[in-house]
């Protein structure tokens, strides 16, 4: 077997197995157990694999599961004997409204409902109105455009500048500064001054000042236009809750700028603000909020109920940039669903974090100079262990205007994770990367020092662009970064106008370090390759060069729509793929449910479908498109796919198309022989006029083992007879006996007859099914698609479902 790799500190996962060198040990007489990981065997989800002995030769190790970071699924993923442990808690609300529950309860994401705010009571020491600050508005030092800094700051005699009021409040021990925009509302007032916040002195805008009468009103617009590159500054001395609340803050148009800088502060709170980086000008790097040097405590500093925009920079723009910090971005959203997830994106003046426009190409088209490659990130987490993003709308380059066919090189992402990714959580959010010249990604994590950021229970994640040539991925996990993609409602990639390949989830090896991302993709509701239209190649989940540890229990993974589509692609990779519904989607030329390219994956208990109209998707396919449920592409060497106990339905469009339940190809042109284990699968050839339950595309493209499979005739097939098996790309076999008699592979126990499919999703076996007790026990999984124990009767059943008497 292979060897374990670099450990992941906050999940205990190894870098993963490599395929067995050669994988064809001669002289064996029995199967050999294998476990190519450092620890975990005998606990939780961890299990040994098997090297199948056929014809005196051992195959590669398939089906082994090593420790992976814990996810919310009721299982012991990290194999420490305790399911769902170490997942932390979800908190919502501030002050007396704050509620905290376990993030995961009974294997499902927990809902969190905050308490009800009350009017602030100046006679207690509680945050009654739930804005994060105790006794805000009590004992204010007042500021008004009608004031004077020589005044004491009373309601009748306010000060003129915010900084003078902060200094007085700090000296006198007064907790608040109240800032007016005028004598009546609606009104607007700008304070063009440098501001340095003082520990424990919160500053509140949106006040109306009329004589000695002060009242707060949302139609009073109070602005700050700091002339310095750091904007409003929270320094390291700000360690107790200190809020800037109710302001519009606009960064200066300087080469490098930020509207707000939080430098080493663990007490900074930004709430109910509208914060923006530079408008068009000389800005090269523009930042809404720049956070540095705080790894003191998770949850501080805090940004909540605010709109934070990166503005416009010729080289880079960030809504929020965090470096060596642990910020908490919470409830920056206009609308939430019943579970507290942000259910809308960024728009108009609503709370959210849009990244703004960046890159020389974008700036060049609006009057600047083309400065080359740029970055546009809503949130950049640079070496920010413990950062939390919760219930927020995050949008990259929302305000950018990039004409189709542009020449720029802009990297865009709603969330970009670089450096240490320990304990980073992105949850209950609406994550969108809307444009970018080169890459546009929803959540992009790369080389995060072997850690496992948790992308959990989000309402929506997509990465898309309208720029030709821009690559769009929903979630991208690369190199020594092992992202947990867990229990999200919807994930999607790019769209047709980019004219580039797209993926819902993409996990890959870093070519520089040679380390592959051992990402896990578990319990998600919908993962689709394309967001809209027909990109050239659209894939739901793609795993390349050793990437991906597990893809399990996802309700639907589909390419959705594209010129060519695939639900799942594994290329020279070996994840365990179990208990998913996988579908090609809607294709113009060819659709594949699962594509295995020289892979060593274990694929069990899945429902895998070819090209068809996906439920709920508005898409017009080409009725002549080729439809394939499983494409097995083999090559010489030790890698081989283990396809066990799946329901494989080719589907198709009923016109002049061709369809395949299983299509076997040899990548070397036909020299490779005997790669792949195909056992206990229900193989439906689809509904096209030319259809095959299984087909060898070339001479020599044989599976090594073909045992106990059922040749299924799908309902709705045309009158043309179905071919059970095409051998050597030439000979059509239409009886199980002819297939079982093949001498160039180990073939036995294959059957035909009534599978009696029905029940939920049409994949459950009926009482009269010939698939009952007709499977092989060799390598059979312990449970079925529904989690029911196998076997339930005298033998194992064929297909993803085990009949329960």
């Amino acid at each position: 077997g292979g060897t374990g790799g670099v450990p992941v500190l906050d999940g205990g996962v190894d870098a993963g197995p490599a395929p067995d060198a050669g994988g064809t040990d001669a002289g064996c007489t029995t199967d050999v157990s294998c476990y190519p990981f450092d620890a975990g065997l005998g606990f939780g989800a961890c299990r040994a694999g098997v090297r199948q002995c056929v014809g005196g030769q051992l195959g590669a190790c398939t089906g082994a599961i090593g420790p992976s970071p814990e996810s919310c699924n009721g299982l012991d993923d990290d194999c420490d004997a305790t399911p769902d442990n170490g997942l932390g808690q979800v908190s919502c609300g501030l002050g007396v409204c704050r509620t905290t529950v376990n993030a995961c309860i009974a294997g499902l994401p927990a809902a969190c409902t905050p308490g009800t705010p009350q009017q602030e009571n100046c006679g207690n020491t509680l945050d009654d109105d739930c804005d994060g600050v105790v006794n805000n508005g009590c004992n204010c030092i007042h500021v008004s455009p009608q004031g004077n800094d020589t005044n004491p700051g009373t309601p009748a005699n306010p000060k003129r500048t915010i900084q003078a009021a902060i200094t007085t409040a700090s000296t006198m021990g007064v907790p608040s500064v109240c800032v007016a925009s005028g004598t009546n509302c609606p009104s607007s007032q700008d304070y063009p001054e440098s501001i340095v916040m003082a520990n424990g002195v919160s500053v509140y805008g949106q006040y109306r000042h009329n004589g000695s009468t002060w009242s707060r009103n949302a139609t009073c617009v109070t602005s700050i236009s700091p002339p310095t590159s750091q904007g409003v500054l929270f320094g390291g001395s700000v360690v107790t809750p200190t809020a800037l609340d109710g302001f519009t803050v606009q960064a200066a148009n300087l080469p490098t700028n930020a509207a707000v800088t939080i430098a080493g502060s663990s007490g900074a709170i930004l709430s109910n603000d509208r914060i923006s980086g530079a408008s068009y000008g000389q800005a090269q790097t523009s930042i809404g909020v720049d956070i540095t040097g705080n790894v003191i405590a998770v949850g501080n500093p805090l940004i909540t109920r605010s709109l934070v925009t990166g503005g416009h920079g010729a080289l880079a723009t960030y809504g929020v940039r965090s470096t060596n910090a642990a910020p908490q971005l919470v409830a920056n959203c206009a609308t939430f669903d019943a579970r507290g997830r942000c259910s809308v994106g960024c728009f108009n003046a609503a709370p959210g974090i849009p990244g703004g426009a960046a890159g020389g190409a974008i700036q060049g088209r609006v009057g600047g100079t083309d400065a080359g490659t740029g970055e546009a990130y809503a949130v950049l987490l640079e070496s920010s262990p413990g950062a939390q993003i919760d219930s927020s709308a995050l949008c990259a380059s929302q305000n950018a205007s990039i004409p189709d066919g542009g020449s720029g090189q802009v990297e865009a992402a709603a969330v970009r994770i670089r450096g240490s990714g320990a304990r980073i959580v992105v949850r209950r959010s609406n994550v969108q990367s809307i444009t970018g010249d080169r890459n546009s990604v929803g959540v992009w994590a790369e080389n995060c020092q072997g850690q496992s950021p948790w992308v959990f229970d989000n309402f929506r994640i997509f990465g898309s662009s309208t720029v030709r040539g821009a690559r769009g991925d929903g979630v991208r996990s690369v190199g020594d970064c092992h992202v947990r993609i867990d229990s999200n409602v919807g994930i999607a990639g790019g769209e047709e106008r980019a004219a580039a390949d797209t993926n819902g989830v993409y996990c890959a090896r870093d070519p520089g370090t040679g380390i592959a991302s051992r990402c896990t993709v578990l319990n998600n509701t919908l993962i689709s390759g394309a967001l809209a239209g027909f990109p050239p190649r659209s894939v739901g989940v793609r795993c390349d060069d050793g990437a991906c540890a597990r893809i399990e229990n996802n309700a639907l993974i589909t390419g959705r729509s594209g010129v060519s589509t695939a639900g799942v692609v594994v290329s020279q990779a070996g994840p365990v793929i179990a208990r998913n519904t996988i579908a090609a989607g809607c294709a113009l030329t060819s659709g594949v449910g699962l594509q295995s390219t020289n892979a060593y994956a274990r694929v069990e208990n899945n429902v895998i479908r070819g090209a068809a109209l996906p439920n709920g998707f508005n898409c017009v396919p080409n009725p002549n498109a080729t439809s394939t449920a499983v494409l097995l592409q083999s090559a010489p060497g030790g890698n081989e796919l283990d396809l066990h106990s799946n329901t494989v339905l080719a589907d198709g469009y009923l016109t002049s198309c061709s369809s395949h339940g299983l299509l076997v190809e040899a990548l070397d042109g036909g020299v490779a022989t005997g790669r792949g284990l195909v056992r206990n699968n229900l193989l439906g050839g689809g509904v096209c006029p030319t259809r095959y339950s299984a087909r060898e595309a070339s001479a020599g493209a044989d599976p090594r083992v073909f045992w106990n499979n059922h040749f299924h005739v799908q309902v709705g097939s045309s009158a043309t007879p179905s071919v059970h098996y095409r051998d050597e790309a030439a000979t059509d076999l239409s009886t199980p006996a002819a297939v079982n008699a093949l001498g160039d592979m180990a073939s036995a126990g294959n059957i035909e007859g009534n599978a009696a499919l029905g029940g939920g999703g049409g994949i459950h076996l009926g009482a009269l099914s010939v698939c009952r007790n007709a499977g092989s026990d060799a390598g059979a999984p312990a449970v079925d698609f529904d989690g029911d124990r196998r076997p339930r009767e005298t033998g194992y059943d064929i297909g993803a479902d085990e009949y329960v008497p």
Side-chain angles (χ1 to χ4, degrees), residues 57-347:
Q57 293 185 326
L58 284 174
C61 182
T62 60
I65 299 178
S68 59
E70 200 71 21
S71 290
C72 184
N73 54 10
L75 301 177
D76 177 18
D77 302 288
D78 59 4
C79 305
D80 67 352
T82 305
D84 293 344
N85 61 317
L87 296 179
Q89 295 178 315
V90 174
S91 295
C92 55
L94 300 171
V96 300
C97 302
R98 188 169 182 81
T99 301
T100 300
V101 297
N102 290 333
C104 180
I105 298 176
L108 296 172
C112 183
T113 304
T116 302
Q118 306 297 322
Q119 183 174 353
E120 194 71 22
N121 180 356
C122 295
N124 63 23
T125 58
L126 301 176
D127 174 18
D128 304 286
D129 62 359
C130 306
D131 68 348
V133 180
V134 174
N135 293 340
N136 57 290
C138 302
N139 304 319
C140 266
I141 300 298
H142 295 80
V143 179
S144 170
Q146 286 77 44
N148 191 299
D149 282 348
T150 61
N151 290 341
T154 61
N157 295 287
K159 291 187 175 293
R160 177 64 182 84
T161 65
I162 298 172
Q163 190 63 65
I166 292 174
T167 301
T168 299
S170 180
T171 301
M172 297 177 61
V174 176
S176 304
V177 169
C178 298
V179 184
S181 63
T183 57
N184 292 290
C185 293
S187 62
S188 179
Q189 175 66 40
D190 183 47
Y191 291 83
E193 56 179 292
S194 298
I195 294 175
V196 178
M197 301 292 289
N199 186 49
V201 177
S202 295
V203 182
Y204 297 89
Q206 297 184 310
Y207 276 91
R208 172 180 176 267
H209 166 220
N210 192 343
S212 297
T213 303
W214 286 70
S215 60
R216 208 169 186 209
N217 190 301
T219 65
C220 292
V221 178
T222 316
S223 301
I224 302 173
S225 299
T228 61
S229 61
Q230 64 189 9
V232 176
L233 175 64
F234 291 79
S237 63
V238 179
V239 294
T240 60
T242 303
L244 183 73
D245 183 291
F247 285 91
T248 296
V249 186
Q250 175 68 58
N253 287 319
L254 300 173
T256 299
N257 69 79
V260 176
T261 297
I262 302 172
S265 168
S266 59
I269 298 172
L270 301 175
S271 55
N272 302 303
D273 296 313
R274 297 181 63 186
I275 299 170
S276 179
S279 58
Y280 293 115
Q282 60 177 317
Q284 300 294 301
T285 298
S286 181
I287 308 169
V289 179
D290 196 15
I291 308 170
T292 61
N294 168 45
V295 286
I296 298 171
V298 173
N300 288 305
L302 170 67
I303 302 175
T304 185
R305 300 192 294 265
S306 294
L307 173 66
V308 182
T309 305
H312 300 266
L315 294 178
T317 179
Y318 312 102
V320 174
R321 183 175 74 176
S322 170
T323 307
N324 299 316
Q328 187 172 24
L329 315 180
V330 180
N332 300 288
C333 183
T335 305
F336 306 90
D337 70 4
R339 297 184 59 83
R341 294 177 293 221
C342 178
S343 57
V344 296
C346 308
F347 59 92

Side-chain angles (χ1 to χ4, degrees), residues 404 465-470 495-501 534-537:
D404 199 41
S465 177
T466 60
V467 181
R468 291 186 65 84
E495 60 179 285
E496 179 177 326
R497 283 180 291 177
D501 295 349
F534 293 88
R537 175 71 161 162

Side-chain angles (χ1 to χ4, degrees), residues 631-632 660 662-666 672-674 692-704 706 723-733 739 742-745 747:
L631 173 59
L632 195 169
H660 318 86
L662 171 68
L663 178 61
V664 185
E665 294 181 349
T673 58
Y692 307 87
S693 292
R695 175 188 164 203
E696 296 175 6
S698 61
D702 304 287
R704 188 162 66 94
F706 195 82
V723 175
H724 286 347
Y725 198 100
R726 170 163 280 197
D727 184 43
E728 307 295 296
T731 304
D732 290 341
L733 307 176
V739 179
L742 289 171
D744 56 357
M745 64 180 179
S747 182

Side-chain angles (χ1 to χ4, degrees), residues 370-448:
D370 192 335
T373 302
E375 293 183 342
Y377 302 141
V379 178
L380 172 62
L381 300 177
E382 186 94 51
S383 298
S384 293
Q388 309 282 306
I389 299 174
D390 191 357
S391 54
S392 292
L394 311 172
C395 309
S397 297
Q398 186 222 10
N399 298 321
S401 176
I402 309 176
D404 199 41
S407 61
Q409 295 291 303
V410 176
E411 307 282 20
V415 180
R416 183 73 158 93
I417 301 171
R418 297 192 295 228
S420 176
R423 305 182 310 283
I424 288 177
V425 180
V426 181
R427 63 190 176 202
R428 300 193 305 176
S429 292
N430 200 306
V431 182
Q432 307 173 19
S433 184
I434 299 172
T435 191
D437 279 326
R438 184 163 64 179
N439 283 290
S440 183
V441 184
V443 178
W444 182 355
E446 188 164 353
N447 295 325
C448 57

Side-chain angles (χ1 to χ4, degrees), residues 458-462 475 485 487-493 504-505 521-531 540-541 553-560 581 583 614-617:
N458 292 285
F459 186 85
R460 180 185 295 112
I461 303 172
F462 67 77
V475 179
I485 305 161
S487 303
N488 300 285
V489 178
I491 301 174
V505 172
V521 185
L522 311 176
N523 315 309
N524 300 283
T525 303
L526 173 63
I527 301 175
S528 59
L531 178 66
V541 176
N553 201 38
N554 296 284
L556 178 60
I557 304 174
T558 176
R560 188 190 184 277
T581 297
N615 291 334
F617 292 150

